[in-house]
Structures are given as C-alpha cells and as structure tokens.
Amino acid sequence: AIQMTQSPSSLSASVGDRVTITCRASQGIRNDLEWYQQKPGKAPKLLIYAASSLQTGVPSRFSGSGSGTDFTLTISSLQPEDFATYYCLQDYNYPGTFGQGTKVEIK
Amino acid sequence: EVRLVESGGGLVQPGGSLRLSCATSGFAVNSNYMSWVRQAPGKGLEWVSVIFSDGSTYYADSVKGRFTISRHNSKNTLYLQMNSLRTEDTAVYYCGRELRGGGMDVWGQGTTVTISS
C-alpha cells in the first residue's frame, strides 16, 4: 500500500498567519490527493480534491498544490474557525491511505 | 438534499460480528463510489473499504478477509459486515460518498463500534 507521510503532526499559529502542511507519498500518485478538515466530534470535511481543486463552498484562503509525490495545503490567513486537524488522502490506488494528520492549534 | 445516516454500531465481544448500515438519500447509492472510514479513539482517520459503481470492492489490509462491503440498490443503503472483530476495530465508523477524482464530498455523522469483553 502507498504510504502517506504528513508533516508537521501539530503546529501552533495565530489568527492571520500563513500555514503550510505537507504530504509526501511513497510513490507517485499523479494528482490523486485530497485534503480534509476535521473538528472534534465531527465528520471530516472535504477541502481540496485532485490536489489543487477547491471544493464548492470552501473559502479561497485554502489552496492545494503538488503532483507526483509531494503535496501542500496552504491556509493563506488563518481564521478562528480553521483551528482543526487536517488530513491528506490518496486514492490513486486502493487501499486508500490517509496521512497521520496535522493538528492546528491556537498560539 | 444529499444525506448519509449510519446505524448499527454498538458493543460487541471480541470475535463477534456486527453489520453497519449507511442509509443514503438524494442520490443513487449504486451510481457513485461509496466508502467506509474509521477513527479509533484519539487517533487519526483510517481508510477501510470502498465499493465502486461497477460493484468492485477494495479493503484495507487490516480488515481484509473479515469485513465485507455491499449495497442494496433498491433500499439505497450501503453496508459493512464486520466479522471476527478485534479490540483494535473499536472506532467511530463513517460512510462517505466518493466522487471519482473528486474526493469524499458527503459524509455521515458516524456510528460507534466498541469491541470489548
């Protein structure tokens, strides 16, 4: 199975900060990568699909980039509602695999 | 409105079985990929299984041979039959609609499975 290595595992940031989270795949996955946001006790929410396409209704401060093995989720200006845990998921082939998650906390 | 509602979770002894259901509304369950994802207490998300619109199925290595994903088209319901359950299967189980190339855009609220003696 493809391994997804996500970093950092956690970060502290302030409102207004630019935040970057990365995922690295153990082999090339084209652009078959998604980013999800999860808040405590809630189901995950799709933010980005196909590595860089913004899901309908998601604020434009979220963006994704990358192809092949290296991918990035960027939040251009962190807002209070963005404090959550973020996961990448590859579905280039199955079984699908999530990254370990990045918890974004308030500094 | 597109909606997913899971049910069937509960407390089961190790070695037991459980069937989870995911009732869908607003779309046809057999026209999309449908997935199960789980989250153990305090842990990250784990991909479990998917069924394609053509009926093909895939499983995580951790559940292969023990879990079976299926659907009932006329009931518009997705299932996950879980056999030979282990304590490490304890988790919240989510179902999700997966758009090929478009990610899991709709999720259920989750159902809790606890495996304990």
Side-chain angles (χ1 to χ4, degrees), chain A residues 34 36 38 42-44 46 49-50 55 87 89 91-92 94-98, chain B residues 37 39 44-45 47 50 52 58-59 94 98 100-105 107-108:
Chain A
E34 297 127 34
Y36 295 87
Q38 188 183 33
K42 300 294 186 182
L46 177 65
Y49 64 93
Q55 173 69 0
Y87 296 90
L89 169 66
D91 58 1
Y92 171 72
Y94 293 94
T97 39
F98 283 95
Chain B
V37 170
Q39 186 167 38
L45 300 173
W47 186 93
V50 67
F52 290 177
Y58 295 87
Y59 300 91
Y94 297 100
E98 181 177 340
R100 186 59 183 145
M104 280 188 271
D105 67 330
W107 295 69

Side-chain angles (χ1 to χ4, degrees), chain A residues 93-107:
Chain A
N93 66 16
Y94 293 94
T97 39
F98 283 95
Q100 300 92 325
T102 296
K103 187 173 184 179
V104 177
E105 298 176 302
I106 301 173
K107 181 183 282 185

Side-chain angles (χ1 to χ4, degrees), chain A residues 35-38 43-48 56-59, chain B residues 104 107:
Chain A
W35 290 97
Y36 295 87
Q37 176 194 68
Q38 188 183 33
K45 174 187 175 183
L46 177 65
L47 300 176
I48 301 286
T56 301
V58 174
Chain B
M104 280 188 271
W107 295 69

Side-chain angles (χ1 to χ4, degrees), chain A residues 10-52:
Chain A
S10 65
L11 64 90
S12 295
S14 300
V15 173
D17 283 354
R18 182 181 182 90
V19 168
T20 299
I21 300 168
T22 64
C23 259
R24 174 165 288 176
S26 59
Q27 67 182 74
I29 59 170
R30 298 183 309 195
N31 69 338
D32 293 327
L33 183 110
E34 297 127 34
W35 290 97
Y36 295 87
Q37 176 194 68
Q38 188 183 33
K39 296 182 178 179
K42 300 294 186 182
K45 174 187 175 183
L46 177 65
L47 300 176
I48 301 286
Y49 64 93
S52 60

Side-chain angles (χ1 to χ4, degrees), chain A residues 52-76:
Chain A
S52 60
S53 295
L54 191 67
Q55 173 69 0
T56 301
V58 174
S60 59
R61 63 181 179 271
F62 291 93
S63 65
S65 64
S67 182
T69 60
D70 294 308
F71 301 87
T72 299
L73 173 70
T74 299
I75 310 172
S76 60

